[in-house]
Amino acid sequence: MRLLNRSAGRLSRHRRGPLAGLAVLLLGLLMTGGLYAAFAPAQADSTQSQEDLVKEGRELFLVGCAFCHGQNGEGVLTQDGSQYGPALTDVGAAAVDFQVGTGRMPMAQPGVQVPRKEVVYTDDEIDALAAYVASLGTGPSVPDAELYDPDTLSEEEYDDYVTRGGQIFLANCTACHNFEGSGGAMPRGGFAPNIRGVDPKHIYEAMLTGPQSMDTFSDGNIPPDDKKAVIAYLDTLNEQPNYGGFTLGSLGPVSEGMIAWLIGIGGLVGFAIWGAAQTTRTTEKKDGADA
Amino acid sequence: MSADNGLTTGKVATTNGTEPASPTRSAKAAGAVANWADDRLGLAKATKGMSLRKVFPDHWSFMLGEIALWSFVVLLLTGVFLTLFFDPSMTEVQYQGSYDPLRGVHMSRAFASALEISFDVRGGLLMRQMHHWAAMIFIGAMMIHLMRVFLTGAFRKPREVNWIIGCLLLLLGTIEGFTGYSLPDDLLSGTGMRAADGFMKASPVVGTYMSFFLFGGEFPGDQVIPRLYSMHILLIPGILLALITAHLILVVYHKHTQWPGPGKTEDNVVGPPLMPIYMAKAGGFFFIVFGMVALLGGLFTLNPVWKFGPYDPSKVTAGSQPDWYMGWPDGLLRIIPAWETHLWGHTVSWNIMLPILIMPPLMLMVLIALPFIEAWVTGDKREHHLLQRPRNAPTRTAVMAALVTFYGLAWAAGGNDIIAIKMHLSINQITYFMRAAVFIGPVIAFIIARRWCISLQRHDEGKLLHGYETGVIVRSPDGGYAEKHLPISETSAYVLTARDRDEVWTPNGTADEAGVAAPGGKLAEVAGKVRGKLSEAMFADNVQKPTAEELHEGQHHAEHELHELEGQIAAGPNKHGSSNDH
């Protein structure tokens, strides 16, 4: 800054010169261009590699995705008007990164809901697919790590984020995903999956893109910072000890009731049977019978 | 023994068996204390009927009520601890305790103190969890105790009043549990209160008034927690304690029922005396129950309020269920179709009224009425102190099987979402299945249980008349194979025959020979006919115990068989070394 001020001071001496304004403008343009060139050095290369990436993604897409999503990602309709695969023209790279990165796509079979499974593509292939689909239209891009990674927070920030994130989580997420993110039921065989231990990037992308029956929590709805807070809260749930003992799947009162009956009542009835078998009478009889 | 033992002999022995013992110093002191107390309190007279030598028969199924009793004691102990730290106030505070993720969050004092108990009070979380586990066990134990009493016929005269007290205890225990569930003011309890608010508002005409009275205004208000607290720690436990006392006094007064057996009749009670054997066992059992509750409290998370956070009407979580004992009305609520009637601008919500406001009171009424219905159908007015084996009352056992099946299905429906995600089912399919199953299931259970009982009766009859299966297979000279039966022991035969023959009630004397109708008229006649038919249906197909002649004949036959068997063995191939005789 000081350097700029100094040069500005030097320029001011020639200020009255008729070409001074033009000189400043030229200098400014030169600096902007130079700085841009300096800080974005791969511009020319990246255009090239981006094109390659899209091309590579298209190849992969035609093999693995086009059967349901159409050769240009336009979607395929069945005869009765429902979809084999929806159009992907405006879903963006984040949606691809989530769906393919969690193994949901390519799906093994049509069904009520696509379950998470083993990831089929490598990270590079996922990037290529995402680049291709992103090239088909608009849509959110894959977020940078600083948007979602709770490790980038300082310690004081982290506590604030966790507290705030917990409240956002309870207001927006627990209705389907349960108070600990252990998941819940949705109509007709659908389900809100267990979200504990899911990669923060994928949680962020899920909120951003609203996969399957999930709502889309756009940045206007839950700002990026709040999304990060939710992820920080989930991170705390993973980190914190189980204060009360075994969590019984963190499913609420149903599993608690099961333990009360199976272990509590079952165990005590067992003890009652054991206790009733320990009579003074039986030992007396044994002694007496032999005599 | 050693020499120093000899020095003390004179002090220990006060009698050699021929002279009366002289009371020791401590016995004298005890007697003096007892006299002092008796002169002032009249204890001897008041406890005259309650001898310490009171006999209590021994059987594991008689301990089930004790599980309930002792878990209630654990509830009182842990509950007192919790009252020392719980603050039943809905005043809003900002949490500054030691649970980081909630620090700075606004909440009621009630929830803040629940967090304080969980994280800042030494042993607080253990006490909270023990209190809650004990509550779950308390109600469960009451239910299995109820089933035992019903299935063995222990509710029959003269114990009907105690049956009613037991039913009221079950009701009060459930209400007590619900108020306790609501106290911490966490998200789960608030959701439960919201549901209760909805239930109240579903009652026609008075609904909104009831809700406004309870909450002191519109839900959630700032009144309900202190009000529930008074009910939870004072009113309901007081009534529970009084009813439990009455329940136990009646047990002492009626004397305990017993299983039939040699030397056990309707007029005596056989078993160890209250002091010291039964007291020692019961006292020991308290520690077992306490230990079990402590283990559960220490090992298993129950209601992790810190994860639910403070109640906020805008929040809700998946897996919001009541505690298990409220699960069955919740299940009915989950599966009932959306039935509503609109009358003059008002909505009558049958979909809430039927499962929540009508079914639970109705089921309680049915439960209370069971002893009276059975007595009416059988016309049995005698006192019963000997228990029945469930198989010897097939219709009664089948009624309980049907009730349990209905309860179980409704209960399972209350966990439909958890079943759906854990078994990968559609919640809709579960709902459709349950809608039919709650009606069909009990009928199937009734039929199966009844026929099962009758089959067991037939098996008993077979054992009495033909003896037990020895496992000895005999080949007759003409090549047929038969298993030999031998007579059962006399004790076993006694147990199997120690029951009454069923007597079908018949509506005799409704009209005398001259055609004059009995008092009561047409209605009584119809009622009599129904009663006769029911009584017939109740005992139809039951196997009655064999008569003395039949038994005698059976025995005779068995002796003959035995002789034959012995003869066959004596003359059998083994005599000649059959191993190489092919």
Side-chain angles (χ1 to χ4, degrees):
Chain A
M1 285 310 276
R2 202 175 287 168
L3 184 82
L4 280 175
N5 285 344
R6 218 182 291 155
S7 60
R10 213 185 312 132
L11 280 172
S12 68
R13 269 182 257 145
H14 308 283
R15 220 172 178 174
R16 291 188 188 139
L19 294 176
L22 189 66
V24 170
L25 183 68
L26 282 172
L27 191 69
L29 283 172
L30 197 71
M31 276 178 71
T32 311
L35 281 172
Y36 189 81
F39 286 101
Q43 177 62 36
D45 280 357
S46 96
T47 319
Q48 189 54 44
S49 71
Q50 189 70 17
E51 263 170 31
D52 286 348
L53 209 57
V54 168
K55 211 173 147 203
E56 188 198 334
R58 183 171 156 73
E59 298 294 317
L60 288 167
F61 188 87
L62 286 174
V63 174
C65 319
F67 185 83
C68 300
H69 288 293
Q71 298 206 355
N72 296 303
E74 74 278 17
V76 175
L77 295 182
T78 59
Q79 273 185 323
D80 61 6
S82 63
Q83 290 170 326
Y84 271 128
L88 300 182
T89 40
D90 286 313
V91 297
V96 180
D97 193 58
F98 174 82
Q99 298 283 2
V100 185
T102 59
R104 287 180 167 82
M105 289 291 150
M107 69 200 263
Q109 64 197 21
V112 180
Q113 188 164 331
V114 193
R116 193 190 169 99
K117 62 176 191 301
E118 214 177 311
V119 182
V120 177
Y121 292 98
T122 65
D123 286 350
D124 290 341
E125 289 170 332
I126 294 170
D127 287 346
L129 278 169
Y132 171 65
V133 172
S135 76
L136 297 176
T138 58
S141 53
V142 178
D144 291 332
E146 72 180 79
L147 281 175
Y148 59 77
D149 192 355
D151 291 345
T152 59
L153 295 166
S154 73
E155 214 158 295
E156 307 93 70
E157 266 183 328
Y158 185 80
D159 285 349
D160 283 352
Y161 271 61
V162 166
T163 306
R164 189 155 51 92
Q167 296 307 301
I168 297 165
F169 180 70
L170 284 161
N172 294 286
C173 316
T174 52
C176 301
H177 286 288
N178 149 313
F179 59 95
E180 270 209 80
S182 342
M186 306 292 285
R188 308 218 172 269
F191 58 93
N194 184 343
I195 52 171
R196 294 288 296 283
V198 174
D199 187 340
K201 180 174 76 163
H202 292 142
I203 296 177
Y204 191 97
E205 286 167 347
M207 286 192 264
L208 201 59
T209 61
Q212 306 197 36
S213 39
M214 181 165 162
D215 300 314
T216 302
F217 295 95
S218 67
D219 285 349
N221 186 339
I222 298 184
D225 219 31
D226 285 357
K227 289 193 176 81
K228 193 173 178 179
V230 170
I231 291 166
Y233 179 70
L234 287 169
D235 188 52
T236 305
L237 286 185
N238 288 333
E239 301 282 311
Q240 73 176 208
N242 295 326
Y243 295 107
F246 296 116
T247 56
L248 318 176
S250 299
L251 293 168
V254 172
S255 51
E256 293 164 0
M258 215 166 83
I259 294 294
W261 272 91
L262 293 183
I263 297 184
I265 300 282
L268 287 172
V269 169
F271 275 116
I273 294 171
W274 171 79
Q278 313 297 310
T279 59
T280 48
R281 203 166 273 267
T282 47
T283 50
E284 260 172 34
K285 237 183 206 168
K286 254 181 222 159
D287 298 343
D290 292 336
Chain B
M1 303 207 184
S2 62
D4 53 359
N5 214 5
L7 295 170
T8 57
T9 321
K11 287 177 191 166
V12 172
T14 61
T15 174
N16 56 9
T18 52
E19 282 181 35
S22 57
T24 60
R25 204 189 147 106
S26 62
K28 265 186 206 159
V33 171
N35 272 337
W36 186 92
D38 188 38
D39 287 346
R40 283 152 188 86
L41 304 170
L43 288 175
K45 206 174 169 188
T47 57
K48 212 172 157 190
M50 303 183 189
S51 159
L52 289 177
R53 301 293 297 168
K54 196 92 194 166
V55 160
F56 197 95
D58 218 3
H59 191 262
W60 67 266
S61 68
F62 302 163
M63 310 287 276
L64 302 179
E66 235 170 79
I67 299 176
L69 178 68
W70 297 137
S71 52
F72 184 72
V73 173
V74 177
L75 280 169
L76 292 178
L77 295 175
T78 51
V80 167
F81 181 92
L82 293 176
T83 56
L84 301 179
F85 304 100
F86 183 68
D87 181 359
S89 156
M90 292 178 89
T91 310
E92 189 174 305
V93 293
Q94 201 178 18
Y95 180 67
Q96 295 298 347
S98 57
Y99 182 64
D100 285 347
L102 285 174
R103 193 173 302 137
V105 172
H106 290 262
M107 56 182 66
S108 66
R109 293 186 68 95
F111 185 68
S113 63
L115 286 178
E116 195 199 330
I117 289 171
S118 303
F119 291 107
D120 299 303
V121 174
R122 198 170 296 245
L125 182 56
L126 176 68
M127 286 294 163
R128 243 199 70 222
Q129 296 199 146
M130 278 178 71
H131 192 70
H132 204 148
W133 281 119
M136 311 257 266
I137 289 174
F138 176 52
I139 299 169
M142 281 199 282
M143 282 184 59
I144 51 171
H145 174 56
L146 176 147
M147 284 192 268
R148 194 283 293 178
V149 167
F150 187 77
L151 290 171
T152 57
F155 59 86
R156 292 174 297 172
K157 189 182 172 185
R159 295 184 176 78
E160 300 100 321
V161 175
N162 227 11
W163 170 268
I164 297 175
I165 293 177
C167 293
L168 294 178
L169 281 171
L170 187 60
L171 171 74
L172 282 169
T174 305
I175 298 173
E176 176 73 345
F178 181 76
T179 52
Y181 173 93
S182 307
L183 284 181
D185 203 20
D186 60 299
L187 184 56
L188 198 57
S189 55
T191 308
M193 284 314 295
R194 184 44 142 176
D197 174 51
F199 303 152
M200 275 183 279
K201 284 177 177 162
S203 6
V205 185
V206 294
T208 41
Y209 293 94
M210 275 162 50
S211 168
F212 270 62
F213 284 139
L214 178 67
F215 292 99
E218 181 56 89
F219 176 89
D222 52 7
Q223 298 288 315
V224 69
I225 300 269
R227 287 176 184 182
L228 290 178
Y229 188 64
S230 307
M231 285 170 68
H232 184 78
I233 69 157
L234 185 68
L235 182 64
I236 305 175
I239 304 174
L240 273 173
L241 209 53
L243 284 179
I244 289 173
T245 310
H247 200 70
L248 293 177
I249 287 177
L250 280 178
V251 169
V252 170
Y253 173 69
H254 291 139
K255 299 174 191 66
H256 205 282
T257 50
Q258 60 185 347
W259 288 104
K264 299 178 180 179
T265 69
E266 293 280 8
D267 305 315
N268 69 2
V269 192
V270 180
L274 197 60
M275 278 300 273
I277 294 166
Y278 183 71
M279 276 303 206
K281 282 182 98 168
F285 199 50
F286 166 71
F287 289 105
I288 289 177
V289 173
F290 191 96
M292 175 63 82
V293 173
L295 271 180
L296 286 171
L299 292 178
F300 296 100
T301 309
L302 183 50
N303 193 16
V305 288
W306 56 94
K307 281 180 181 152
F308 293 114
Y311 180 58
D312 170 349
S314 69
K315 293 172 183 160
V316 73
T317 168
S320 288
Q321 253 101 0
D323 274 345
W324 73 261
Y325 42 85
M326 298 285 279
W328 74 273
D330 186 39
L332 293 179
L333 183 69
R334 283 168 187 237
I335 61 172
I336 195 165
W339 289 331
E340 285 181 349
T341 312
H342 299 277
L343 289 174
W344 305 292
H346 294 277
T347 306
V348 183
S349 301
W350 299 107
N351 50 356
I352 298 171
M353 281 175 68
L354 275 174
I356 302 292
L357 301 178
I358 296 176
M359 275 312 286
L362 187 73
M363 285 289 274
L364 184 73
M365 290 298 161
V366 168
L367 211 56
I368 289 176
L370 281 173
F372 303 98
I373 294 172
E374 190 188 297
W376 182 72
V377 170
T378 57
D380 185 356
K381 294 201 168 49
R382 292 166 299 158
E383 285 207 1
H384 294 279
H385 300 285
L386 284 178
L387 296 173
Q388 284 177 306
R389 299 168 83 201
R391 68 183 62 173
N392 287 332
T395 305
R396 178 203 294 154
T397 304
V399 165
M400 183 44 82
L403 287 174
V404 166
T405 306
F406 174 76
Y407 186 100
L409 287 166
W411 190 16
N416 59 359
D417 53 337
I418 306 296
I419 294 174
I421 55 169
K422 286 296 155 194
M423 299 188 175
H424 304 287
L425 294 170
S426 155
I427 204 165
N428 301 60
Q429 307 298 341
I430 296 173
T431 303
Y432 302 144
F433 174 80
M434 286 298 183
R435 278 176 185 171
V438 291
F439 292 104
I440 301 168
V443 176
I444 296 174
F446 181 89
I447 295 169
I448 291 178
R450 194 160 176 280
R451 298 317 304 189
W452 195 333
C453 287
I454 291 170
S455 296
L456 287 170
Q457 280 191 321
R458 287 186 182 146
H459 178 66
D460 285 351
E461 192 193 28
K463 277 204 292 191
L464 278 172
L465 294 181
H466 309 296
Y468 69 96
E469 297 168 356
T470 56
V472 177
I473 311 291
V474 173
R475 194 173 82 165
S476 65
D478 49 342
Y481 289 91
E483 185 178 8
K484 284 292 158 189
H485 289 239
L486 287 179
I488 54 174
S489 75
E490 227 165 272
T491 314
S492 316
Y494 187 98
V495 171
L496 291 184
T497 49
R499 62 181 178 105
D500 298 330
R501 291 200 172 73
D502 299 323
E503 284 169 38
V504 176
W505 187 88
T506 46
N508 53 350
T510 46
D512 63 17
E513 278 172 11
V516 179
K522 195 84 180 156
L523 197 69
E525 200 185 311
V526 174
K529 264 185 194 157
V530 171
R531 189 177 169 187
K533 286 266 183 263
L534 280 175
S535 190
E536 224 177 281
M538 178 145 179
F539 296 126
D541 304 336
N542 283 15
V543 179
Q544 304 305 330
K545 69 175 179 185
T547 60
E549 293 87 64
E550 284 170 335
L551 266 180
H552 192 71
E553 200 177 307
Q555 231 147 19
H556 203 73
H557 182 72
E559 267 166 38
H560 175 72
E561 288 256 295
L562 193 61
H563 281 307
E564 203 174 60
L565 179 63
E566 277 166 355
Q568 278 164 339
I569 291 168
N574 287 332
K575 271 285 169 207
H576 312 291
S578 65
S579 53
N580 47 18
D581 179 28
H582 293 291

